[in-house]
Every structure is written in C-alpha cells, then in structure tokens.
Amino acid sequence: QKEVEQNSGPLSVPEGAIASLNCTYSDRGSQSFFWYRQYSGKSPELIMFIYSNGDKEDGRFTAQLNKASQYVSLLIRDSQPSDSATYLCAVSADRGSTLGRLYFGRGTQLTVWP
Amino acid sequence: GAGVSQSPSNKVTEKGKDVELRCDPISGHTALYWYRQRLGQGLEFLIYFQGNSAPDKSGLPSDRFSAERTGESVSTLTIQRTQQEDSAVYLCASSSPGTGLREAFFGQGTRLTVV
C-alpha cells in the first residue's frame, strides 16, 4: 500500500503570514507530486506540481521536494483569507505524459484569519 | 462543455439498489479518472481510462463496481446492490493528451447517499 501522510491540522495562520503544509510518502519510486486545493463542498483544483528535487515557485506558492527524505511541502506566502481551504497532497509513480493513478493524502485544513 | 460535467449532483438511494453515475469529460481529453472521497477522507482511486480502455481498474473496491467509457467521451460508473459504505462523493477527472496528471481537471462530483 502506498501511503501519503499529511498533518490533518487544522492549521491556522494570520493574514500575511507564511503557511507551511507538509506531506510525506512511502513509495520511493514516486515521480510526480501534486498539491490540490479543495474548498468546502467543491472539487479539488490543481495548484502546483513538481517533479524534481528543490523548489518550484508560482506566484505566492512554492513547492519543495526532497526525494531522499520522501518529503514534499507547500509554502503559501502572504496568506489571504481566500486561501482558507483543505490542501491535498498527491503522489504518482508516473511522470509527464505517462498517465496513471494518484495517491492522495487526507488533506490539511488551512484557515487564514484576517 | 467548458469543464468536466457529472450527473446527478446528488443521489439518495436505498441499500441494495443499483446506481449509475455519469461523467462527461472535457472535449478532447483522452484520459478519464474516477475517484471516491468519503467524508473526512482523502481521494481514493477507483479506475482510469485511456480512450475507452481501462489500463488500471485496480482501485475498484469490489465486483459490485464497474465502469465503462464510450470512445473518448462519456463514462458511466455503476454500483450494484449498493451498501451504506458506498456513501461518498464520486469525482471524475479528465486530462488531455500529453499533459497527463499535470492538468487533470475534476468535475463537481456526485454525492451518493445510501440509506
């Protein structure tokens, strides 16, 4: 069984702060790593994906991957109340156009208070 | 359509009845995925289609679950003899050729309640 673990939270940060979301995975063969945001009652939406060790930045979001430690994180800078949602970490053994299944964590609930 | 469309949005059924859930992917998307999300849980993979073939159906929890897809279009997930543990939101996602999981768009889901 391929496990993806996330801190269930809830994580609460003030507006303008950095929110740090963490995820570990059990399958060393994992190649692709995704962060989804899910608002209450809504479907998940992809916000970041990362394949290579290191950091990947997109606006206020930075994904960090450390394959040796089997760890992936998401940093949200200048957090806004609109960032309040559940963040899902997902992992795949496939890469690029090779299609396949994603293994999801249970998600971390983030609340950004004004 | 502009996005992945799922129907019905809500379904309440009696235990033991069969249900069909429908997914209309984004036009041109060859890959289609079904996931299940129980209350408070992460997403659980069910099955994946490439075109109308299913290379990976390993996530289907029992033989009561089946899915089919017509060409590169509509997919139907069928649950026979529903049980209360089948209650969940069933999510469908699709992605275009070459992008794979980098751009998998989810539908709004079907909330299934078995009473």
Side-chain angles (χ1 to χ4, degrees):
Chain A
Q1 180 68 20
K2 300 179 181 180
E3 302 288 339
V4 179
E5 299 287 340
Q6 294 181 251
N7 291 334
S8 60
L11 175 65
S12 182
V13 301
E15 184 173 358
I18 296 175
S20 178
L21 304 160
N22 304 316
C23 174
T24 59
Y25 58 94
S26 64
D27 181 15
R28 282 201 172 273
S30 299
Q31 295 289 325
S32 304
F33 307 86
F34 303 82
W35 283 99
Y36 282 82
R37 177 175 61 197
Q38 186 174 29
Y39 292 113
S40 181
K42 303 294 186 182
S43 59
E45 55 178 328
L46 179 67
I47 52 174
M48 291 282 289
F49 64 88
I50 187 168
Y51 297 147
S52 303
N53 276 329
D55 295 0
K56 179 180 179 182
E57 187 174 318
D58 183 1
R60 295 186 297 111
F61 298 96
T62 299
Q64 299 175 317
L65 174 62
N66 184 327
K67 288 187 178 180
S69 300
Q70 295 175 239
Y71 175 92
V72 58
S73 66
L74 179 70
L75 299 178
I76 307 175
R77 291 182 301 281
D78 189 24
S79 296
Q80 302 296 309
S82 59
D83 295 327
S84 298
T86 296
Y87 289 80
L88 301 170
C89 173
V91 171
S92 173
D94 302 305
R95 183 181 176 120
S97 61
T98 304
L99 305 172
R101 65 190 292 176
L102 287 170
Y103 294 87
F104 281 84
R106 291 191 176 186
T108 298
Q109 185 179 342
L110 171 66
T111 300
V112 181
W113 44 277
Chain B
V4 178
S5 177
Q6 292 187 246
S7 61
S9 55
N10 279 285
K11 176 72 176 178
V12 179
T13 189
E14 292 181 351
K15 179 181 173 181
K17 294 286 177 74
D18 298 351
V19 295
E20 282 190 355
L21 312 179
R22 177 186 169 105
C23 173
D24 276 287
I26 294 171
S27 178
H29 281 194
T30 55
L32 186 149
Y33 310 81
W34 283 100
Y35 282 83
R36 175 169 75 175
Q37 188 173 30
R38 291 183 167 130
L39 187 65
Q41 304 292 313
L43 274 70
E44 177 186 3
F45 171 82
L46 298 178
I47 188 170
Y48 140 65
F49 287 93
Q50 174 61 26
N52 63 1
S53 66
D56 189 349
K57 55 178 87 170
S58 61
L60 294 176
S62 76
D63 59 7
R64 297 187 295 105
F65 287 72
S66 63
E68 62 180 25
R69 187 179 185 194
T70 306
E72 295 182 352
S73 184
V74 173
S75 175
T76 302
L77 177 69
T78 301
I79 309 173
Q80 295 178 309
R81 304 182 302 281
T82 51
Q83 303 295 312
Q84 287 185 330
E85 64 262 26
D86 300 334
S87 296
V89 176
Y90 289 81
L91 291 161
C92 175
S94 70
S95 64
S96 59
T99 63
L101 296 169
R102 295 200 310 274
E103 290 186 16
F105 295 92
F106 281 87
Q108 292 301 306
T110 294
R111 182 176 299 277
L112 175 66
T113 304
V114 181
V115 298

